[in-house]
Amino acid sequence: MSPRKTTRSSSTVNTPHLLEARRPGRRTGRLLAASVAAACLGAVALPASAADATAGSAPAASRGAAVPDFYDPPAQLPSADGDLVRTEELPLGLSLPGLDGRQMPGTATRLMYKSTDAGGGPVAVTGAYIEPSAAWKGDGPRPLVALASGTMGQGDQCAPSLALEHPLSIGEGTVSIGYDNIAVYRLLASGAAVVVTDYAGLGATDRLHTYVNRVDEGHALLDAARAARSVAGASITSESRVGLYGYSQGGGASAAAAELQASYAPDVNLAGTYAGAPPADLTEVMKGIDGSALAGALGWSINGFAQSDPSLEAVVEANTNDAGKAALKDTSTMCVGDAILGYAFTNSKKWTANGKPIADIIAAEPKLQAILDQQRIGKLKPTAPVRLATGVQDDIVGHEQARQLAVDWCGRGGDVTYKAVLLPNLGDKLLTNHLAPYLADQGSAISWLTDRLAGEKASSNCSSMPIQP
């Protein structure tokens, strides 16, 4: 059975869940990714301590890392999507005092807001809004970028808003790296405000993070843009142009939001979307993840879909062996660093009852295949320009399925700027072929998006798709 999650007190839970699994921590200082991130981010911070919690209530812990009380949803949520539940000051882990007394690159606020999940129910989502110190010099009022983070994990301690406070968090049982902070700070430097979503269940303690569920992600991102307008001191308004930004899991979220905006959030003044390495076809993406350095992400996917559709629990139970059941429990509280250390290069056939890879089991189970088909991005036309980038050597979030999304959108009349990032093969299944395009293309992606926020028209290259790699 897939793991479920509880809050500190049952009185604050929207729906009942089974007890969240915990596991004793392990030392993580050996992790290469953490060392690289520390060099890039230039700061090291420990996980939030019990002192971060509201007085009189012990903080929840995930793999030994404390999660502040702020992340416990109340029993009742506002009725409107994007309405704020609560806010508080969020100290940025990398921040400097400016000459005018304001913090650089901006002033951050931790958020909890209401969204609607894939089942149509209310869900509390957390995140962060950053009011930039830099002036906006483009056309129109200060714009907003709603940023969807790449894969962070499934434990609450992995939430992107916590990573803004603690760019590198190392504890006895977990490693969390705020690698998308670089993009956040670059966007703030342009004068755009930024709102970051933690997604459903990542941070908020009442449920598991549903990972690559396109509706949950798309709604959470669009509602973050709505919530940002109500933050005290925010300079953005309902007239502000909005850009969506995301890579990897975030690319899937921004792509889904671009498709859903017209029907779900027409009040969001969407000007453009950057979707980097989007996992548009999960059937194909799961094949790339299996046996890779990020094999633990298979656990996050299965856990998330079983939570969204409880009828899947019996299917998961029947098709996993004891090792698989233990891995699902274990991964439910892991961040990326933990998953790399614990499950890198694991083949999913070690987790299945019949010894076959998960892809084979999905192909033989019509119910599972139908669920993944429902997650396919590209069936709707995005209403604003989109820049879709994919590394041709990407062997984690496969290039071909990402390119197909551009083809699908072009076929539906979308305004698509397709970018194939050409880099050499940097190592099979090591994440290098997936991460290198993210870094190589980031400057161009941010420039393209800020041009849309300034009101400049995009130039679609759909006509050249047949000859594009």
Side-chain angles (χ1 to χ4, degrees), residues 186-255:
R186 293 180 77 168
L187 289 162
L188 291 170
S190 75
V194 177
V195 65
V196 178
T197 182
D198 288 338
Y199 302 120
L202 187 58
T205 57
D206 64 332
R207 63 182 71 198
L208 283 179
H209 173 39
T210 46
Y211 195 41
V212 285
N213 184 306
R214 68 176 182 88
V215 176
D216 278 10
E217 292 182 325
H219 286 183
L221 189 59
L222 291 167
D223 286 326
R226 286 166 156 164
R229 301 192 296 242
S230 300
V231 174
S235 59
I236 61 165
T237 70
S238 59
E239 303 301 315
S240 295
R241 295 187 181 101
V242 176
L244 306 177
Y245 181 101
Y247 187 89
S248 192
Q249 180 190 0
S254 64

Side-chain angles (χ1 to χ4, degrees), residues 269-295:
N269 185 19
L270 187 58
T273 297
Y274 164 66
D281 184 345
L282 296 185
T283 301
E284 293 303 314
V285 173
M286 282 188 171
K287 296 175 184 176
I289 291 174
D290 201 345
S292 76
L294 199 59

Side-chain angles (χ1 to χ4, degrees), residues 273-457:
T273 297
Y274 164 66
D281 184 345
L282 296 185
T283 301
E284 293 303 314
V285 173
M286 282 188 171
K287 296 175 184 176
I289 291 174
D290 201 345
S292 76
L294 199 59
L298 291 173
W300 301 329
S301 301
I302 295 168
N303 289 336
F305 287 123
Q307 177 172 255
S308 296
D309 183 354
S311 70
L312 287 178
E313 291 187 358
V315 179
V316 174
E317 181 76 19
N319 285 283
T320 52
N321 58 22
D322 289 345
K325 291 176 176 62
L328 293 178
K329 233 179 175 182
D330 194 21
T331 56
S332 72
T333 58
M334 283 184 162
C335 298
V336 170
D338 318 335
I340 293 173
L341 187 64
Y343 294 103
F345 310 114
T346 297
N347 194 300
S348 65
K349 64 185 180 183
K350 295 182 179 179
W351 296 348
T352 60
N354 62 8
K356 294 182 178 180
I358 286 175
D360 290 358
I361 292 173
I362 291 173
E365 284 276 357
K367 182 177 180 66
L368 296 178
Q369 190 59 62
I371 286 173
L372 293 191
D373 288 345
Q374 290 169 5
Q375 296 299 321
R376 181 74 178 265
I377 304 172
K379 296 179 180 180
L380 300 170
K381 173 188 171 183
T383 53
V386 179
R387 184 181 190 273
L388 191 155
T390 167
V392 296
Q393 299 289 349
D394 195 331
D395 49 4
I396 304 296
V397 181
H399 165 70
E400 290 299 331
Q401 62 85 41
R403 184 187 186 281
Q404 185 60 47
L405 175 58
V407 172
D408 293 343
W409 275 342
C410 286
R412 296 183 182 279
D415 184 345
V416 181
T417 300
Y418 170 76
K419 172 63 176 178
V421 182
L422 304 175
L423 293 171
N425 188 329
L426 300 175
D428 293 341
K429 302 287 189 176
L430 297 177
L431 287 176
T432 44
N433 286 326
H434 181 59
L435 295 176
Y438 166 70
L439 298 173
D441 187 56
Q442 188 175 86
S444 297
I446 290 174
S447 293
W448 182 92
L449 190 58
T450 52
D451 283 347
R452 305 292 80 73
L453 296 175
E456 296 183 23
K457 294 192 67 174

